[in-house]
Amino acid sequence: MNSRNKEVQKRICVWTLLLVAVLEAAAKQSRVSDEAQVSVTRAASIEPRTQPSSGRQTRHSIPEVKQRTFLENMTHPPPSSILQPIRIKTWRARESCKLSEAESERLEEALEEAVRVVSSLLSDVVKLNIQRVSTFPLRDQIPEDHLSGCYVYPESDSPRRTVVRPEGAGLPDTDFLIYIHVQATDKCRAEPGVLAYAVHCQTDAGGRPVAGVVVLCRDRLSAAPYSHQATVQTLIHEMFHTLGFSKDLFSSWRDCSSHQGTSCSPRNKVIHSDGSGQTRIYTPGIVSALQRHLMSSDPELGGPLENLVLRRSKDESAGKVSSHWESRVLQGSIMAAALGDPTTVRIDPVTLAALRDTGWYSVNLSRAQSLVWGDGQGAKFGSLSICKENSSTFFCSGSGVGCHFLHLHKGKCQTDPYLEGCRVYKPLENGGSDVWTSSSAEGRCYRHRCSGPNRYQIQVSGSQWVDCPAGGAVQVKGYRGEVFCPDRRLCLYPDVSPPIDRNSSSGFTTWQV
């Protein structure tokens, strides 16, 4: 094939982002493969905390309750002429399996909310008009106006060419284009646990992604019961992958610390292993966000990536890097490898710091949600030694019942492949929304409702609501003994709220005032 013919070869998207959900019988927890899956709840701002320090900080050593503001109560200045929300457009491919009216409505509502959330988080200094995209597997379902032209040179020594397809008009006022394809694909049929998969498929001259494809398995929209929040979270997770949080894009990240989007330089290699063999992303924003979260000044605190792909044989794992955070360290993050009930997933500060460190976006970090897991636990939190020594209350041992760390559900002490033998309380179906308290020598979960920062009431087996003074104890009428009330464990995060999706498959109920 001559050089001119090579110029017109079609570039094919590599479908590598997989969203795999394996439902555990007890926990109903979604797992994702090395490239995919998702979620969103209302975002809240994060107030500055004390300066990072080395070592572990206990809840009792934190001088005051963290104050956070609910997203709906935040006021924002009008957008400047420089920073504008990223303009994301979606395009739905024609479906060979026609969606019902109800399914189409579900998809449109979820897409609208997912795009609105991502646009509220990311801004773009350099506004784009996507000229055209290259062809890829959905070629026959993409409008001609979206595609680059294609030419054939019949004679190798002649400048004469034949136009196979003219140049498309492109898409004005668009910074990122997402093609949505809903179908029972071969992958969906072959792997029933797959919910969706996605990939970026076009970049600009600087390596920044400008287009991507998200494939939703048809059963995702027709399943009963259907969860709107889980679908929104899936789409957001996939969008974050296509926008830059991907092993295929880490090497393209830019250092734009001087001028976002302009005068940037390559970050070069950002993936390294620490002294324990943990694979991490080392960029200034990620390191700083994790230091603040864990309250540690350890310079080795790069963003930990899931090591599951590295625990295979040496030949299989050579050169492989995950596109998800390590679950033992960042459980509950929107970009963790395993996602649970929609109420437990957070668009966290570390993930938003990573998107900012791509160099392609200005990120509204004030909209990050509270990442409760491991908060203030020190640099060693999430290590195998910490969880197996049972030296952190975020982990558990055995297989008993306790409270999920957000205190919105009862849970059972369980593990999964991503935890490497560590165990955590995972929400139980119909487990209720309770608070971890202690009765005599045995810990139990009781329902609670917040009445203020670090202030709450409890209900014991259908009793009246009783004030439970944090750090103290209370007697409940009709019961012997006392209930000990945890201090600085409950009602500290205003954006940790009960389920708001009445159609959620979890069926959990939360008591809150």
Side-chain angles (χ1 to χ4, degrees):
M1 181 180 292
N2 60 49
S3 59
R4 291 185 183 275
N5 286 337
K6 289 181 180 179
E7 292 177 1
V8 299
Q9 291 185 77
K10 297 180 180 179
R11 286 180 286 176
I12 305 299
C13 280
V14 181
W15 300 81
T16 57
L17 302 183
L18 301 179
L19 169 59
V20 179
V22 179
L23 299 181
E24 295 184 357
K28 294 288 185 180
Q29 182 173 17
S30 298
R31 293 181 183 174
V32 295
S33 72
D34 189 47
E35 285 288 326
Q37 169 143 358
V38 334
S39 168
V40 73
T41 42
R42 290 172 293 176
S45 64
I46 293 183
E47 296 295 327
R49 291 196 270 186
T50 56
Q51 290 295 320
S53 60
S54 59
R56 175 180 172 184
Q57 302 292 319
T58 65
R59 288 289 175 194
H60 298 279
S61 66
I62 300 175
E64 59 183 33
V65 175
K66 303 177 185 67
Q67 298 297 318
R68 305 181 192 268
T69 306
F70 285 110
L71 177 61
E72 57 268 30
N73 294 329
M74 292 175 61
T75 58
H76 301 283
S80 68
S81 59
I82 298 178
L83 294 180
Q84 298 286 341
I86 187 171
R87 299 168 300 180
I88 299 175
K89 288 187 179 179
T90 61
W91 191 89
R92 283 179 56 187
R94 297 190 306 271
E95 317 299 345
S96 57
C97 294
K98 186 177 180 180
L99 297 180
S100 67
E101 182 177 350
E103 290 169 338
S104 293
E105 184 176 338
R106 286 174 173 178
L107 177 59
E108 291 303 323
E109 289 179 352
L111 273 174
E112 181 180 350
E113 182 172 343
V115 169
R116 183 171 64 249
V117 170
V118 175
S119 296
S120 74
L121 296 169
L122 306 183
S123 297
D124 201 346
V125 175
V126 180
K127 309 310 290 182
L128 302 177
N129 292 313
I130 296 180
Q131 299 299 317
R132 287 161 290 275
V133 298
S134 300
T135 56
F136 45 85
L138 296 183
R139 161 68 184 87
D140 294 335
Q141 302 187 48
I142 301 301
E144 295 288 336
D145 279 351
H146 292 194
L147 298 173
S148 298
C150 183
Y151 311 93
V152 173
Y153 292 82
E155 302 174 11
S156 60
D157 297 329
S158 172
R160 185 173 60 86
R161 67 183 184 182
T162 300
V163 177
V164 178
R165 182 180 64 249
E167 293 284 351
L171 292 93
D173 303 320
T174 302
D175 299 312
F176 193 79
L177 175 64
I178 299 179
Y179 293 100
I180 304 295
H181 185 58
V182 182
Q183 183 60 275
T185 62
D186 290 342
K187 177 175 287 294
C188 296
R189 287 189 292 267
E191 303 175 51
V194 173
L195 301 179
Y197 48 100
V199 69
H200 80 281
C201 58
Q202 185 83 359
T203 59
D204 64 13
R208 168 187 160 174
V210 295
V213 180
V214 174
V215 177
L216 284 175
C217 295
R218 170 64 183 274
D219 290 345
R220 178 70 176 178
L221 297 173
S222 59
Y226 169 77
S227 171
H228 169 73
Q229 280 302 107
T231 303
V232 171
Q233 292 175 348
T234 300
L235 291 169
I236 292 174
H237 179 105
E238 300 295 354
M239 287 183 191
F240 282 173
H241 275 315
T242 60
L243 286 163
F245 196 99
S246 167
K247 62 183 180 183
D248 296 321
L249 290 168
F250 291 152
S251 61
S252 299
W253 288 12
R254 312 279 288 176
D255 182 359
C256 302
S257 53
S258 298
H259 300 284
Q260 196 82 17
T262 61
S263 303
C264 301
S265 59
R267 288 194 182 276
N268 298 317
K269 186 177 180 180
V270 298
I271 306 296
H272 302 275
S273 294
D274 64 15
S276 66
Q278 175 70 54
T279 305
R280 295 179 181 268
I281 307 180
Y282 287 96
T283 60
I286 293 176
V287 171
S288 178
L290 200 57
Q291 287 176 336
R292 286 195 301 270
H293 174 63
L294 295 176
M295 291 189 176
S296 172
S297 58
D298 191 334
E300 288 288 305
L301 281 177
L305 293 175
E306 177 56 56
N307 275 354
L308 183 62
V309 296
L310 302 180
R311 292 191 290 274
R312 303 168 182 166
S313 70
K314 183 178 295 185
D315 292 338
E316 290 179 338
S317 63
K320 290 190 176 181
V321 174
S322 175
S323 297
H324 297 106
W325 295 130
E326 173 59 60
S327 295
R328 288 180 284 104
V329 182
L330 293 171
Q331 183 90 189
S333 166
I334 184 74
M335 299 311 292
L339 303 177
D341 183 88
T343 61
T344 69
V345 180
R346 323 296 291 163
I347 299 180
D348 59 284
V350 184
T351 295
L352 293 188
L355 290 171
R356 184 179 64 175
D357 281 354
T358 64
W360 299 320
Y361 316 105
S362 175
V363 180
N364 189 347
L365 299 179
S366 69
R367 291 197 169 215
Q369 293 174 295
S370 305
L371 184 62
V372 179
W373 177 264
D375 195 2
Q377 293 290 293
K380 299 300 182 182
F381 177 76
S383 65
L384 293 176
S385 60
I386 291 292
C387 77
K388 292 181 178 179
E389 292 170 3
N390 203 27
S391 57
S392 170
T393 56
F394 283 94
F395 294 98
C396 59
S397 59
S399 57
V401 175
C403 277
H404 183 268
F405 70 92
L406 289 180
H407 301 283
L408 298 179
H409 311 83
K410 281 185 178 179
K412 184 175 182 179
C413 188
Q414 297 176 321
T415 189
D416 62 49
Y418 298 104
L419 293 174
E420 299 183 72
C422 295
R423 305 180 74 84
V424 301
Y425 287 114
K426 297 187 177 184
L428 288 172
E429 187 174 6
N430 299 322
S433 170
D434 303 338
V435 51
W436 177 259
T437 61
S438 177
S439 177
S440 65
E442 182 181 1
R444 297 180 183 275
C445 268
Y446 296 124
R447 294 188 183 278
H448 82 284
R449 61 184 184 185
C450 298
S451 56
N454 204 33
R455 295 173 55 195
Y456 53 92
Q457 295 179 318
I458 64 169
Q459 185 184 54
V460 178
S461 301
S463 72
Q464 296 295 315
W465 287 102
V466 179
D467 289 330
C468 201
V474 64
Q475 290 185 325
V476 179
K477 185 177 180 180
Y479 294 87
R480 295 179 180 178
E482 293 181 319
V483 175
F484 295 93
C485 308
D487 186 24
R488 300 190 182 278
R489 290 288 304 279
L490 305 169
C491 306
L492 299 180
Y493 306 90
D495 63 331
V496 176
S497 58
I500 59 175
D501 186 353
R502 298 301 181 186
N503 295 320
S504 172
S505 61
S506 66
F508 298 120
T509 303
T510 297
W511 297 83
Q512 180 172 333
V513 294

